[in-house]
Amino acid sequence: MASTYFLVLFALVAAATVSEANAAKLRTDFYSCSCRNLLAIVKTGITKALQKEARMGASILRLHFHDCFVNGCDASILLDDTSKFIGEQTAAANNNSARGFNVIDDIKAMVEKECPGVVSCADILALAARDSVVHLGGPSWEVGLGRRDSTTASRLDANNSIPAPTFSLSTLKQNFANQGLSEKDLVALSGAHTIGLAQCRLFRPHIYNDTNIDASYAKFLQSKCPRTGNDRLLEPLDRQTPFHFDNLYYKNLVQKKVLLHSDQQLYNGGSTDHLVEKYATDRVAFFNDFAKGMVKMSRIKPLTGKKGEIRLNCAKVN
């Protein structure tokens, strides 16, 4: 029994070491010679998209998050279904809600024109997420590059890996720990909900079933989101500034005025309360920890070297 335990432990340590080694291969200057204008191209594409629709910034950030949590940051979420696999776009967390694919496709087309067959869709998505946050007033961070794209996707894996709005705090912490992310990362990265909108079907359980929500706020939301119907009606995750990246999300948590059950779990008498209170009063601390968390998240199990491929079209395998 003891020998089996140590073999399993060794395998886990070895897997973690390989993952860290792959992540270490990512470099900010990866395309400095092969695609010198990459950063400018991505920034231009994001600026154009967000000037047209500010909400798109949250959508791009969410795409990157949902991509990384499913077998690593490999652009698998961008793949359309094929005869060989059912992809991630129709998973519970993405179906009829994931968006921004056209923005990534447009940027990819511009990159391909400049540097054909060189830059992965996974790297474009990582850069686009950073530039979206910056455009909306949030922090910047160094994006390591050199990811390659997956050649498959899995709806089952997406259903099992992406955190749900019904999760408890313990389930959220375990979900993030499965990705090598800490409790601090959980609270800081949840601050992404300071931008964007959510559908009625996702926040309905919180406003009708939970008691840890401000009564007047719940009543206001119930007037828009009935017990049945209006499933896709949208409300801002941050009720004051849904298109500006700030720390009001945490202030709303303290006041029990957030949309999702899983969000309020971060401030519900548990171990994460102190972090919520810290970020609610210290925007700089939030920005710093969010940036650090994004760096860690964007380095989850990247495909590097000869693994995967550089897709020419982000929606399909070459």
Side-chain angles (χ1 to χ4, degrees):
M1 290 291 292
S3 61
T4 301
Y5 169 78
F6 284 112
L7 283 172
V8 172
L9 181 62
F10 176 78
L12 289 172
V13 171
T17 302
V18 170
S19 179
E20 290 174 3
N22 286 337
K25 294 178 183 178
L26 301 181
R27 308 192 323 265
T28 57
D29 64 347
F30 188 84
Y31 298 107
S32 60
C33 293
S34 58
C35 194
R36 295 181 180 180
N37 294 325
L38 172 63
L39 300 188
I41 294 171
V42 175
K43 183 178 180 180
T44 297
I46 288 299
T47 299
K48 180 180 178 181
L50 269 62
Q51 285 176 342
K52 183 177 180 180
E53 183 192 6
R55 179 191 170 200
M56 189 56 71
S59 299
I60 296 297
L61 179 59
R62 186 170 183 262
L63 270 186
H64 181 44
F65 174 70
H66 285 200
D67 178 42
C68 291
F69 264 58
V70 184
N71 299 319
C73 310
D74 58 5
S76 56
I77 194 172
L78 304 180
L79 285 172
D80 292 338
D81 294 352
T82 71
S83 59
K84 295 182 179 179
F85 63 79
I86 299 176
E88 299 164 25
Q89 294 178 22
T90 54
N94 298 323
N95 195 33
N96 294 321
S97 65
R99 57 200 299 276
F101 301 101
N102 59 316
V103 174
I104 301 302
D105 288 343
D106 289 346
I107 294 174
K108 175 65 172 175
M110 291 189 289
V111 171
E112 282 298 307
K113 186 176 181 180
E114 176 98 2
C115 320
V118 172
V119 182
S120 68
C121 299
D123 277 344
I124 289 174
L125 183 53
L127 287 168
R130 189 270 310 275
D131 290 350
S132 293
V133 170
V134 172
H135 184 89
L136 296 177
S140 184
W141 58 91
E142 294 290 328
V143 179
L145 302 168
R147 300 170 191 78
R148 289 168 65 84
D149 299 321
S150 66
T151 55
T152 189
S154 169
R155 181 168 67 185
L156 178 62
D157 289 345
N159 281 331
N160 290 334
S161 300
I162 300 172
T166 55
F167 277 7
S168 66
L169 178 59
S170 60
T171 307
L172 285 168
K173 289 195 289 187
Q174 185 58 58
N175 179 268
F176 273 64
N178 291 343
Q179 305 293 348
L181 298 171
S182 68
E183 184 174 279
K184 178 184 282 189
D185 296 325
L186 162 63
V187 181
L189 291 175
S190 294
H193 284 177
T194 194
I195 54 175
L197 310 172
Q199 295 180 10
C200 167
R201 65 185 178 88
L202 300 177
F203 62 82
R204 180 182 287 122
H206 182 46
I207 66 175
Y208 285 104
N209 303 334
D210 293 343
T211 57
N212 58 345
I213 180 172
D214 177 84
S216 61
Y217 183 55
K219 186 175 181 179
F220 165 75
L221 292 172
Q222 289 168 6
S223 70
K224 295 190 169 188
C225 177
R227 289 184 181 273
T228 58
N230 273 8
D231 283 2
R232 297 182 68 176
L233 173 136
L234 296 168
E235 279 294 311
L237 287 160
D238 167 356
R239 60 198 178 89
Q240 300 98 328
T241 58
F243 306 123
H244 181 68
F245 200 97
D246 51 36
N247 67 332
L248 287 178
Y249 164 79
Y250 299 101
K251 296 179 186 292
N252 292 335
L253 276 174
V254 172
Q255 296 174 8
K256 297 183 179 181
K257 293 181 178 180
V258 293
L259 280 185
L260 304 179
H261 169 88
S262 54
D263 280 336
Q264 195 60 61
Q265 289 293 294
L266 301 179
Y267 194 76
N268 196 39
S271 61
T272 53
D273 282 12
H274 72 287
L275 286 168
V276 170
E277 291 171 352
K278 177 182 178 181
Y279 296 150
T281 57
D282 191 341
R283 184 182 66 86
V284 173
F286 162 49
F287 276 24
N288 287 339
D289 288 347
F290 181 85
K292 291 175 183 177
M294 287 300 297
V295 170
K296 287 178 66 176
M297 189 191 78
S298 70
R299 289 176 171 264
I300 296 174
K301 296 184 292 186
L303 299 174
T304 58
K306 295 183 179 180
K307 297 178 181 178
E309 66 180 15
I310 303 298
R311 281 188 229 138
L312 302 181
N313 180 332
C314 291
K316 62 182 182 180
V317 176
N318 292 343

